[in-house]
């Protein structure tokens, strides 16, 4: 019997899924729309469909699945396999994800936060390979983070450890969904960058971006900043520099607390590359403890959007191995 492992990265707009061999070689992958607005049962149905299609493509049957890992945005109960709340998935409150998948595929199902499965991927197969102290920052629509300390992924009491996006940067700042204001993620994220540009334009600054959207500021996208930056647009350069500097302030604090060897920056906004990272490094260098700073590199993520599916598979395999160990200790009950 040839077993395989399924990794699913559930996003607000896309389900990314892949099937791997026991050696974690990619066998097949595909993407499918999440259709989040149609509610949790519909989305779970789409996930089941995607898994069925993957199996079909590699000519395997449901019995060949060793385990299934899923990365899900939002608050989770990992042990019970529940989604408690997800800002990007309407209606995902106390949804028993693991049970829904297990009802069709009789294999162990493990869920974790979407950013943490990215971390597992980058740690095992990407930029973090071989490191034992890592901070991963993903700058997408929002700002997410995951942390590895001494070779262990950090979870904390309620699995909320590493919420760097909610680091309080300003006593009075942009309100945040978490209830606080001035959180780092309200500034350093695709949404944050766009808000900064809008604020500056509304305050009378000018930018080439404004002509690209024909003055309809709602059409501004974070990706436009890199293009404008390269055109020599002063506002775009300023906004990316400011965001990089602010992220650097946050990361200097993180560096002083955790003393990591590597900070990996991924997510869509990280495609700005050195346009953003140069300011991040300058800012970190001037604010962190010199010894910690000298020992730490700040690099871009390597796996891109594939980090989530491979990470979900890595995580599931780890948890599955843990289950076996535990069962052996408890007398070998399967
Ligand atoms: Zn917050």
């Amino acid at each position: 019997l040839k077993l395989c492992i399924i990794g699913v990265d559930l996003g607000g707009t896309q389900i990314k899924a892949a099937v791997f061999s026991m050696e974690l070689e990619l066998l097949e992958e595909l993407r499918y729309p999440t259709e989040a607005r149609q509610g949790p049962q519909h989305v779970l149905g789409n996930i089941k469909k995607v898994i069925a299609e993957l199996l079909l493509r590699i000519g395997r049957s449901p019995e060949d699945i060793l385990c299934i890992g899923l990365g899900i945005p939002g608050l989770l109960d990992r042990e019970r396999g529940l989604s408690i709340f997800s800002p990007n998935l309407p209606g995902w409150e106390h949804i028993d994800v693991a049970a829904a998948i297990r009802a069709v595929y009789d294999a162990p199902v493990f869920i974790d936060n979407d950013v943490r499965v990215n971390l597992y991927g980058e740690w095992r197969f990407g930029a973090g390979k071989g490191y034992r102290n890592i901070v991963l920052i993903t700058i997408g629509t929002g700002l997410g983070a995951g942390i590895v300390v001494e070779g262990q992924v950090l979870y904390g009491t309620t699995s909320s450890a590493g919420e760097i996006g909610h680091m309080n940067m300003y006593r009075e700042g942009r309100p945040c969904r978490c209830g606080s204001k001035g959180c780092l993620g309200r500034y350093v994220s695709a949404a944050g960058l766009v808000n900064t540009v809008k604020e500056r334009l509304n305050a009378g600054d000018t930018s080439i971006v404004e002509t690209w959207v024909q003055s309809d500021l709602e059409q501004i996208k974070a990706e436009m900043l890199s293009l404008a930056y390269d055109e020599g647009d002063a506002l775009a350069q300023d906004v990316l520099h400011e965001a990089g500097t602010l992220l650097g302030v946050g990361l200097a604090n993180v560096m002083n607390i955790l003393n990591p060897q590597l900070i990996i920056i991924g997510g869509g906004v990280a495609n700005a590359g050195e346009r953003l990272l140069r300011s991040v490094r300058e800012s970190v260098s001037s604010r962190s403890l010199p010894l910690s700073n000298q020992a730490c590199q700040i690099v871009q993520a390597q796996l891109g959007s594939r980090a989530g599916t491979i990470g979900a598979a890595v995580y599931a395999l780890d948890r599955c191995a843990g289950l076996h160990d535990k069962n052996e200790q408890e007398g070998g009950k399967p």
Side-chain angles (χ1 to χ4, degrees):
L1 190 70
K2 268 191 152 182
L3 291 172
C4 59
I5 303 152
I6 308 276
V8 179
D9 181 4
L10 176 61
T13 55
Q14 247 186 356
I15 299 165
K16 300 183 196 94
V19 55
F20 301 90
S21 71
M22 290 295 288
E23 290 75 39
L24 291 166
E25 288 160 328
L26 178 69
L27 300 176
E28 186 64 79
E29 63 184 338
L30 65 92
R31 288 168 185 223
Y32 198 83
T34 306
E35 300 169 326
R37 270 190 222 122
Q38 299 191 50
Q41 294 315 318
H42 183 84
V43 175
L44 288 168
N46 284 346
I47 293 172
K48 291 173 203 167
K49 254 192 244 173
V50 167
I51 296 173
E53 176 65 23
L54 284 172
L55 290 174
L56 191 70
R57 288 193 192 178
I58 61 163
R60 302 276 179 86
S61 64
E63 296 76 55
D64 298 334
I65 300 175
L66 174 74
C67 56
I68 300 171
L70 291 107
I72 299 173
L75 280 177
L76 307 169
D77 182 334
R78 290 190 309 131
E79 294 312 317
R80 291 159 66 198
L82 297 178
S83 164
I84 297 170
F85 169 77
S86 184
N88 304 326
L89 300 168
W92 280 63
E93 278 153 41
H94 297 277
I95 299 298
D96 199 336
V97 181
I101 306 293
R102 265 201 316 266
V104 182
Y105 299 100
D106 186 25
V109 178
F110 302 103
I111 66 169
D112 203 347
N113 173 277
D114 59 337
V115 182
R116 278 203 195 97
V117 300
N118 266 272
L119 174 65
Y120 279 102
E122 286 290 341
W123 181 23
R124 211 63 73 79
F125 292 99
K129 215 171 154 179
Y131 290 85
R132 287 175 52 82
N133 290 291
I134 305 169
V135 174
L136 169 76
I137 305 282
T138 59
I139 320 173
T141 312
L143 179 67
I147 295 169
V148 177
V149 174
E150 316 289 4
Q152 297 272 352
V153 172
L154 202 62
Y155 281 93
T157 310
T158 59
S159 295
S160 321
E163 287 286 0
I164 293 168
H166 296 287
M167 184 181 289
N168 287 247
M169 305 302 289
Y170 302 110
R171 289 174 68 177
E172 298 299 328
R174 294 177 187 166
C176 182
R177 208 155 29 201
C178 72
S180 184
K181 45 193 161 182
C183 294
L184 183 58
R186 301 298 294 139
Y187 302 86
V188 182
S189 60
L193 287 168
V194 168
N195 280 338
T196 307
V197 172
K198 283 188 198 164
E199 272 177 16
R200 296 274 300 258
L201 291 174
N202 286 329
D205 283 342
T206 55
S207 166
I208 191 171
V209 169
E210 208 175 359
T211 59
W212 290 345
V213 296
Q214 292 160 337
S215 298
D216 179 2
L217 303 193
E218 295 310 310
Q219 300 304 315
I220 296 174
K221 303 264 183 297
E223 305 90 90
M224 292 174 180
L225 286 177
S226 287
L227 299 173
Y229 184 107
D230 295 343
E231 300 268 332
D233 186 77
L235 179 72
Q237 292 179 350
D238 214 35
V239 168
L240 281 172
H241 173 69
E242 244 180 67
T245 303
L246 191 66
L247 178 58
V249 175
L251 289 181
N253 291 328
V254 170
M255 205 181 263
N256 290 348
I257 294 169
L258 294 172
N259 192 196
Q261 202 176 1
L262 191 69
I263 296 177
I264 305 171
I265 303 191
V269 173
N271 292 335
E274 289 303 313
R275 301 176 192 91
L276 181 73
L277 293 189
R278 197 178 311 120
S279 310
V280 175
R281 288 196 194 95
E282 279 169 13
S283 173
V284 168
S285 299
S286 62
R287 286 162 218 270
S288 55
L289 296 170
L291 198 61
S292 299
N293 183 50
Q294 281 156 22
C296 185
Q297 274 180 285
I298 300 176
V299 300
Q300 261 182 279
Q302 284 177 1
L303 302 183
S305 61
R306 280 191 169 133
T309 49
I310 179 90
V314 166
Y315 168 71
L317 192 56
D318 279 5
R319 291 279 311 264
C320 213
L323 279 187
H324 291 309
D325 293 348
K326 214 174 155 200
N327 285 334
E328 274 162 30
Q329 284 160 16
E330 286 167 2
K333 231 172 45 192

